[in-house]
Structure formats: structure tokens, C-alpha cells
Amino acid sequence: MPARTVGHAILRGLRAEIDACQSAVEEAMAQHGYGREALFAVRLALEEALVNAIRHGNRHVPGGQVDFRWSVDGDEARFEVRDQGDGFDPDAVPDPTHDDNLEIPSGRGIMLMKAYMSEVAYRDPGNHVSMVYRRSKDA
Amino acid sequence: MANDSSRLRISAVNDVVRIDFVDRDILDEATIRQIGQDIQRRLEPMSAPKVLMCFAVVEHLSSAALGTLITVNSLVKKKGGMLRLAEIRPEILEVFYITKLNKHFSIDESAAAALKALA
């Protein structure tokens, strides 16, 4: 097994593409010894990041592409998701856990990404997100 | 028993509508939309519906799925009914706690406990 496994995919918005990316990442993480808790966390965060890029970034525009790059080693898994949209201000997204917002059906994706990943950073203008999952001793 | 969708198993337990998810993953947008439409279609003609949703087989769910649950809960409340969620795996339950949706939903450990609360 290589010390570091890397992958790159261009997604055009199909569910099968997301599933293929998730499977590739999951396989690599399993090979590097990550446990069930880590796989659950990364799968959830990746799902939100990729769907956000397709749905809110590219707005399902035909021909729109999402660039997805990732790497996994024994210590951490890193992900880069870049869409072709205009971007957005992640700090302007209302806090979905506020009592006034609990009944709003949307707006929880970013908070889940931040909750399950060690690091989440949006780069200007907000159409590129970097995420890192750092391995703990038991994950 | 009525199969409104291949993604759901909907049955009647006395006066309770019991909805079981049949897929491990509730992630795909189109599927989630279909699930929401199936449930709403089922509940639309009912007044004060008592609804139990069971997640025993569900291993992954997205924020879009949470959104559909919130929409269903709003519909049930609007009709003066009750919705309870049950048999949620610990890792999925954690998602409800992180998003504080445990405050929004009535959650029971088992279907039996939920049915008792709905009786």
C-alpha cells in the first residue's frame, strides 16, 4: 500500500459520480486503517460538500463541473471541492441550531461538515472548500 | 399495508401510520424528494394523524433528508397530529443532537415505546 493515496474526479452532477467518489475515498481510508467512526464522518461531510457544489454552486446548470481532489494517508484525509459558481459567504448562512431556525428545512450542510471534519475552510469567493479529517488514536 | 414508494414501507398499526425506511442510505436528492412526496400524499387526507417513522436500517442520512423530516413534522403539527421517530442508530442520533433537532422531534429508542406514546 502506498504511503499516501490520492484521487481526482470531475463531477457533472450525477448521483453515480458522487457514489463513485465516496466509494473510492472509503476504500482508501479503510486501506489506511481508518475505523467506522471516521468513515461515517467523512462520508457525511463529503456528501454535503459535493451536493452543495452541484446544487448551490453550479445550480444544476448543464455542463457545470465540480473538481474534486483528495488524499489519504495514515494521519489524515484531505479534500478539495471546487465548483464553477459565483461562490457565497459561508458566514452569512444563518445558524440552523438557533431556536428560531429549527423549523427551517435547509441550511444544515455546512454545520455538519464543520462538526464532523477537523478543519473546514472556504476560499474566496466561496466556491472552493478545503476539508481535513485528522485521525484520532481510535478512529 | 400499502407500498407508496419502493423506498418506504408504510403500514397501519391501529390508528398509527408506521413508516419504515427500507434503504441504508437516505442521500440522493431525487429519492429524498420522492420520499417526502409519498409521505405527504399519504398524510394529506388525514386529520390529526399519528405517525411513527422507523430508522432501524438507516446508516447514513444527509441534511436534505433532515429537511424532509422537518417538512413532514410541520405538516403533521399543522393537522394537529403527532410524529415520533424511533430506532435511530447512535451515529445517526448524534446528527440530530449536533443539529439540535432532538429538541424539534420526539424521539424514542424503540418502535414499541413510540407506539405506546402515540396511543
Side-chain angles (χ1 to χ4, degrees):
Chain A
M1 182 180 64
R4 191 172 188 82
T5 308
V6 299
H8 177 221
I10 300 290
L11 292 81
R12 292 173 176 78
L14 299 177
R15 179 71 228 175
E17 296 169 334
I18 297 176
D19 290 341
C21 290
Q22 291 275 25
S23 294
V25 168
E26 191 171 315
E27 186 180 342
M29 289 184 69
Q31 285 175 347
H32 283 278
Y34 288 80
R36 185 176 162 168
E37 188 181 323
L39 298 182
F40 179 88
V42 166
R43 187 182 176 107
L44 181 59
L46 261 188
E47 178 71 26
E48 300 296 339
L50 292 171
V51 169
N52 276 353
I54 292 165
R55 183 182 185 185
H56 301 298
N58 289 350
R59 297 175 188 272
H60 289 294
V61 171
Q65 297 183 350
V66 172
D67 187 291
F68 174 50
R69 294 168 193 269
W70 57 273
S71 65
V72 176
D73 62 24
D75 298 320
E76 64 182 24
R78 304 186 75 92
F79 307 95
E80 304 284 336
V81 178
R82 188 196 311 252
D83 63 57
Q84 295 176 312
D86 296 331
F88 75 112
D89 178 5
D91 294 331
V93 177
D95 177 4
T97 64
H98 191 280
D99 283 347
D100 292 343
N101 298 331
L102 281 180
E103 292 194 38
I104 298 174
S106 59
R108 290 173 180 80
I110 295 172
M111 86 155 300
L112 287 174
M113 289 157 57
K114 288 179 176 173
Y116 280 95
M117 300 299 277
S118 310
E119 197 177 297
V120 175
Y122 278 90
R123 302 185 187 190
D124 282 340
N127 67 342
H128 179 182
V129 63
S130 303
M131 304 192 295
V132 182
Y133 183 91
R134 292 197 182 86
R135 189 176 194 171
S136 61
K137 283 179 183 174
D138 56 353
Chain B
M1 182 181 290
N3 267 327
D4 291 31
S5 161
S6 60
R7 307 299 185 185
L8 301 171
R9 195 167 59 243
I10 302 180
S11 56
V13 183
N14 298 321
D15 59 345
V16 175
V17 177
R18 174 174 174 154
I19 300 168
D20 286 87
F21 291 94
V22 298
D23 291 329
R24 289 189 312 166
D25 298 339
I26 311 177
L27 300 171
D28 177 45
E29 269 191 294
T31 302
I32 291 167
R33 198 165 42 245
Q34 183 65 49
I35 285 172
Q37 289 170 355
D38 287 346
I39 295 173
Q40 288 183 48
R41 194 179 311 120
R42 178 67 179 236
L43 300 181
E44 202 59 58
M46 302 177 72
S47 63
K50 294 179 181 180
V51 184
L52 163 61
M53 297 179 80
C54 289
F55 293 76
V57 302
V58 177
E59 294 180 1
H60 297 97
L61 99 183
S62 66
S63 64
L66 293 176
T68 292
L69 295 179
I70 291 168
T71 301
V72 170
N73 196 35
S74 298
L75 174 65
V76 170
K77 281 202 311 193
K78 190 175 155 191
K79 288 175 159 294
M82 290 185 285
L83 169 68
R84 300 190 80 89
L85 313 182
E87 299 187 356
I88 302 175
R89 291 176 186 226
E91 55 268 38
I92 300 287
L93 195 56
E94 189 183 8
V95 174
F96 282 84
Y97 277 89
I98 288 170
T99 54
K100 295 193 179 171
L101 286 174
N102 59 307
K103 296 198 297 187
H104 185 67
F105 291 105
S106 299
I107 300 175
D108 297 289
E109 197 170 319
S110 67
L115 287 169
K116 190 175 176 185
L118 288 167

